[in-house]
Amino acid sequence: MRTLTIARPLDAHLHLRDGAAMAMVLPDTAQRFAAAIVMPNLKPPVTTVAAAAAYRERILAALPKGLRFEPLMTLYLTDDTTAAEIHAARASDFVHAIKYYPAGATTNSAAGVTDIQRCRQALAAMEASGLPLLVHGELTDVAVDVFDREAAFIERVALPLRRDFPGLRLVFEHITTGDAVDFVRGAGPGVAATITAHHLLLNRNAIFAGGLRPHNYCLPLLKREAHRRALVAAAVSGDPKFFLGSDSAPHGRSAKEADHGCAGCYTAHAGIELYAQLFDAEGALTRLEGFASHYGADFYGLSRSRETLTLVSEAWTVPVAQAFADGEALVPFMAGETILWRVQP
Ligand code: NCD
Ligand code: ZN
């Protein structure tokens, strides 16, 4: 049995939801991570500093006793976000970024940005203040193939954005393609990316393996093997531009196993173990701490956790379901399958 001790990691992209659902998923993350960048795509979305403050209080109130966890809040960018709101966010000590969802790109993105040109005031305020923009990098144009939406977003949105706001700090969230890896690598120190465990472990065949697999359906979609390999190479490279963001996105079973099923993989139940398994398979376990615990904190100007987490190479089987809100079941990623690393209690 091998062990690995790392600084307690930071999840730089997490969906916690709200209310009872939040209370039921929060312990999975808080048992593993020192902190997480919390996504604002609630219904209604978290668009103001005041709403983020209230959401943060609800998260802290739901935290089980004995667990230390810091929710790092974000605001949801809309066509109407003002420069004043950006400056208020920057002045707060709990809003750490602004999230840009192209309208219609993913779950709860209806209130997202219809045209990034409408956000120029807010973007200029972010550029001036250093508050990072987190992008869901998919072009929603119906003429663009769903597997090509990330590459199209780079051409038509990300590159122009870099040109117009060269000082804007940017995190390309949950990257899925070699195109995004190349864009981030070539873009200067203010540009970084998060990578999920599911995009590192699976290629798009997993959406169709033995039948339609709704629990492997997330956005951006899983991509072909060559892209997965590019993500793995970036993640294990030790390049601080690439860091852990789980994009754990819980939906009840009935919302997933449905006509018009929801996008999102729930991975928080094994939020660090999945990455340990991948890094170990790549012979890169010594690089896990940088990717999971250091680079994200460094990018956000936060101190690295001084607490530690120990992983042991012990196989365990993922439950087929866990409890969720409203009597629903939540089907975790790799349900019923074996994971080779576990967190030492
Ligand atoms: C996320 C969700 O469910 O909130 N879904 C997903 O497939 N990743 C939204 C998102 O990050 O795109
Ligand atoms: Zn997400």
Side-chain angles (χ1 to χ4, degrees):
M1 194 179 77
R2 293 171 297 145
T3 68
L4 177 72
T5 297
I6 60 173
R8 285 230 306 152
L10 168 76
D11 186 345
H13 183 126
L14 177 67
H15 299 273
L16 278 178
R17 312 305 189 205
D18 209 348
M22 183 250 287
M24 295 184 95
V25 297
L26 177 61
D28 280 345
T29 293
Q31 280 157 12
R32 294 167 173 79
F33 293 86
I37 299 281
V38 179
M39 291 298 119
N41 63 331
L42 304 182
K43 293 179 211 165
V46 180
T47 55
T48 63
V49 176
Y55 183 29
R56 179 173 180 276
E57 289 307 319
R58 295 197 295 279
I59 296 168
L60 290 173
L63 196 62
K65 291 219 172 9
L67 288 181
R68 269 186 306 280
F69 172 74
E70 185 61 35
L72 307 165
M73 310 312 291
T74 59
L75 299 190
Y76 185 113
L77 185 69
T78 73
D79 291 351
D80 304 318
T81 303
T82 62
E85 199 68 49
I86 300 299
H87 289 302
R90 188 53 170 174
S92 83
D93 57 0
F94 53 89
V95 177
H96 295 269
I98 308 294
K99 180 65 191 274
Y100 162 27
Y101 291 104
T106 186
T107 306
N108 297 348
S109 63
V113 173
T114 62
D115 179 354
I116 192 70
Q117 292 303 326
R118 298 190 174 189
C119 301
R120 294 189 72 90
Q121 307 284 330
L123 294 170
M126 294 173 64
E127 184 180 39
S129 69
L131 200 61
L133 180 71
L134 316 184
V135 302
H136 181 108
E138 289 197 286
L139 201 76
T140 50
D141 187 334
V142 290
V144 176
D145 188 280
V146 286
F147 289 98
D148 296 335
R149 288 184 173 187
E150 191 169 278
F153 180 89
I154 294 168
E155 288 303 317
R156 290 210 237 151
V157 182
L159 288 168
L161 199 60
R162 290 285 302 150
R163 193 189 55 225
D164 294 354
F165 300 94
L168 180 64
R169 305 185 71 229
L170 210 132
V171 184
F172 208 129
E173 299 285 87
H174 43 52
I175 58 169
T176 63
T177 60
D179 309 76
V181 170
D182 293 343
F183 168 77
V184 170
R185 277 214 183 100
V191 178
T194 56
I195 310 183
T196 79
H198 44 288
H199 290 103
L200 288 171
L201 290 164
L202 301 181
N203 66 34
R204 67 191 192 180
N205 292 347
I207 309 169
F208 311 104
L212 194 55
R213 303 287 292 273
H215 301 290
N216 291 336
Y217 170 55
C218 63
L219 288 170
L221 292 165
L222 300 173
K223 299 298 188 308
R224 62 172 65 243
E225 180 63 8
H227 288 304
R228 188 187 74 85
R229 289 302 323 166
L231 299 180
V232 170
V236 306
S237 68
D239 183 340
K241 281 171 160 276
F242 300 97
F243 45 82
L244 186 158
S246 71
D247 196 20
S248 180
H251 294 277
R253 183 199 287 272
S254 67
K256 292 287 292 174
E257 299 176 5
D259 192 17
H260 292 83
C262 292
C265 297
Y266 183 70
T267 54
H269 64 293
I272 188 65
E273 297 91 323
L274 294 165
Y275 289 99
Q277 175 153 328
L278 184 273
F279 275 66
D280 191 17
E282 297 296 319
L285 264 188
T286 56
R287 300 257 171 90
L288 181 64
E289 185 177 37
F291 177 81
S293 313
H294 294 165
Y295 307 151
D298 296 350
F299 182 88
Y300 280 102
L302 304 163
S303 52
R304 300 172 176 181
S305 178
R306 278 179 290 277
E307 297 179 78
T308 59
L309 180 85
T310 297
L311 291 149
V312 294
S313 64
E314 231 173 54
W316 58 288
T317 304
V318 178
V320 293
Q322 65 187 70
F324 197 49
D326 305 322
E328 276 268 356
L330 176 60
V331 178
F333 184 67
M334 284 181 66
E337 295 181 52
T338 301
I339 293 181
L340 301 175
W341 285 82
R342 66 155 71 242
V343 170
Q344 188 168 281

